Amino acid sequence: MTIRVLLADDQALVRAALRILLDSCDGMELVAEATCGGEAVALARVHRPDVVMMDIRVPGTDGVAATSEICADPGAPGTRVLILTTREIDARVAEALRAGASGFLDKDVTADVLLDGIRTVASGDSLLSPLATRALISRFLAVPAPDSPLITSGDLAAFTDRDREVVTWVAEGRSNAEIAERLDVSAVSVRTQVRRVMTELGVRDRAQLVVLAHQSGLVRTQAPANC
């Protein structure tokens, strides 16, 4: 299946380099390019891409606002947003995750890492490494945003101890394969369990599950030693 990508970045050189990369990759197609957030939102409505690669600092409607509009569009429930940033940990990245982004990558990553990131997000998983997750949570996400939904004790009442255990590991940034190894089950089983929990909680994807799990207190935030 071809992954359809929309690129939003105001730097012509960056767009040109990413265009060449995507055009050279079997299984990916660059369907449109945007130079600002508003244009990205409009093009996403027209093309319904699988993944929007969004520069966090695009002009006009910024990356956070554009991400929020794209993720809230009921006509494109399958469109995922991958944030591109020049800083690994940034308060704006945290806001984008709250708004519905499925992960983020630094622009300094290698071509292989970028392409793998697009595939990961397109598959419905989130691109959040354990280190990045811990840093984001401790610095920016532990305090709920105004009017943000939380997981409550009532929401968790129907879940098993295993469900809570799996959510805890997800919130720590562990992959399905890592969780499966700990539980001695298949990664497919873990993925099915995680998706069931997300459905029952009404969260969009794994990134949102991480945010809610920490903000609800299900997982206790511990700041990294160097913070």
Side-chain angles (χ1 to χ4, degrees):
M1 183 180 67
T2 299
I3 299 173
R4 304 174 71 254
V5 180
L6 188 157
L7 173 61
D9 196 301
D10 64 322
Q11 298 182 40
L13 185 59
V14 171
R15 293 199 311 276
L18 292 175
R19 185 189 315 122
I20 293 171
L21 176 63
L22 292 171
D23 287 344
S24 68
C25 181
D26 291 337
M28 291 191 191
E29 176 188 3
L30 182 61
V31 296
E33 297 177 34
T35 60
C36 65
E39 188 178 12
V41 173
L43 289 173
R45 288 172 179 160
V46 172
H47 295 280
R48 304 302 189 197
D50 300 302
V51 176
V52 177
M53 297 172 60
M54 179 75 70
D55 179 8
I56 193 67
R57 300 185 187 282
V58 287
T61 301
D62 68 15
V64 175
T67 294
S68 181
E69 288 193 52
I70 291 170
C71 293
D73 185 353
T79 297
R80 307 292 179 183
V81 176
L82 174 60
I83 295 296
L84 299 179
T85 178
T86 54
R87 297 176 60 188
E88 183 181 5
I89 303 300
D90 189 296
R92 300 294 284 163
V93 173
E95 292 176 23
L97 291 175
R98 284 196 184 108
S102 294
F104 67 96
L105 281 175
D106 193 291
K107 287 185 177 180
D108 290 337
V109 297
T110 65
D112 287 342
V113 170
L114 179 63
L115 294 174
D116 284 344
I118 294 172
R119 295 186 187 100
T120 296
V121 170
S123 73
D125 287 332
S126 293
L127 195 62
L128 294 172
S129 70
L131 178 61
T133 298
R134 287 194 293 272
L136 276 169
I137 291 297
S138 65
R139 296 180 187 180
F140 305 118
L141 297 178
V143 178
D147 302 322
S148 64
L150 294 178
I151 300 174
T152 66
S153 57
D155 294 328
L156 295 171
F159 292 145
T160 65
D161 291 340
R162 174 61 59 84
D163 288 334
R164 294 186 182 89
E165 187 176 30
V166 168
V167 170
T168 298
W169 282 331
V170 169
E172 292 175 353
R174 304 302 172 186
S175 68
N176 289 343
E178 290 173 320
I179 297 172
E181 185 176 358
R182 293 190 179 198
L183 297 177
D184 195 23
V185 298
S186 71
V188 173
S189 296
V190 173
R191 182 171 183 171
T192 299
Q193 185 172 12
V194 171
R195 288 191 169 183
R196 176 178 56 77
V197 170
M198 290 192 301
T199 297
E200 293 184 17
L201 289 174
V203 297
R204 177 184 173 88
D205 60 21
R206 202 180 185 99
Q208 297 301 292
L209 182 61
V210 169
V211 173
L212 294 179
H214 279 271
Q215 292 183 350
S216 69
L218 175 63
V219 177
R220 297 299 178 185
T221 301
Q222 294 182 347
N226 61 348
C227 289

